[in-house]
Amino acid sequence: MALNRRNFLLVLGTTAGAITLKSIYNSNPASAETSRSPRNQETYEFTALPYDYNALEPYIDEQTMRFHHDKHYAGYTRNLNKAVDRYPSLQRLDAEELITDLDRLPQIIRRTVRNNGGGYVNHKMFWEIMSPDGGGEPRGRLARAIIRDFGNFDRFKESFNQAARTRFGSGWAWLVMDRDGKLSVSDTLNQDSPLMTGQYPVMGLDVWEHAYYLKYKNARGEYINNWWNVVNWREIEKRYLLGRRSPVFSNTNNSSLS
Ligand code: MN3
């Protein structure tokens, strides 16, 4: 999955100031940053799809999945790895952690990491939160939190669809959680992640044209409506619980976890 427990604790720890990227990379003299990557493999792994390219048919077509995963996602991954190539201390950070506090990155790579680190983290999540066995509605704790914060599932869906439809240009629609555990819908431009503004991305929908244009052309609304048929609620609830248990949310009422 996109964020394991350790990763997200680190992400939030960074936000909370417990660990700062600055303290990590400033602890090395600048000269150390010019050495090559100590690893043989890519720092940020180009992950495979957890299903076949055609598995999400007819809602998302095989050709779109091939281009989206093998070209666009591969590009973000490659550019992210290239950006941190000369910074061994940054390579120790998980990608989620890396994009959480962009201001602390060396200025020269900040924009590249914002775009490609965001693209990498967003897409890694996107593949995981879809499934050929998807669709329907969430259950359990995530379902209860949605009802608590939106009234009912349909109202949440309407709000999310609205964000996805009206996101002007390229970007994402999100279900996010704030540090009080409250859920809301938002959208971001380009490849920005909610992590960049201190929010936890529970689920997100890619509304870049590359995500739908081959099949749906300009009919973004039709893509959005069909996408709900492949939404993997089990994975999304896992992500929700992961974020919910973070110590940053410790001011919330833990009874909703039981
Ligand atoms: Mn995309």
Side-chain angles (χ1 to χ4, degrees), residues 189-205:
L189 181 63
N190 296 328
Q191 292 297 351
D192 282 1
S193 163
L195 291 170
M196 295 172 187
T197 51
Q199 291 183 304
Y200 177 79
V202 179
M203 66 186 278
L205 172 58

Side-chain angles (χ1 to χ4, degrees), residues 68 72 76 123 126-127 172 191 206 208 210-211:
H68 201 175
H72 294 276
Y76 300 128
H123 286 84
F126 191 53
W127 315 135
W172 291 73
Q191 292 297 351
D206 189 342
W208 283 57
H210 70 222

Side-chain angles (χ1 to χ4, degrees), residues 147-179:
I147 291 166
R148 180 195 66 208
D149 293 333
F150 294 93
N152 58 52
F153 179 74
D154 286 341
R155 266 197 239 165
F156 153 67
K157 195 172 161 180
E158 206 173 290
S159 172
F160 189 95
N161 282 347
Q162 166 84 1
R165 269 197 314 268
T166 58
R167 165 72 266 169
F168 188 77
S170 296
W172 291 73
W174 298 99
L175 173 64
V176 296
M177 178 165 46
D178 69 16
R179 288 178 197 168

Side-chain angles (χ1 to χ4, degrees), residues 2 12 22 25 36 80 92 97 116 120 124 138 164 176 184 189 192 237 242 248:
L12 294 173
K22 196 171 192 171
Y25 76 76
R36 305 292 293 181
L80 174 62
R92 291 187 208 114
E97 198 179 0
N116 294 280
Y120 176 75
K124 199 152 58 82
V176 296
S184 60
L189 181 63
D192 282 1
E237 184 173 25
L242 188 68
V248 171

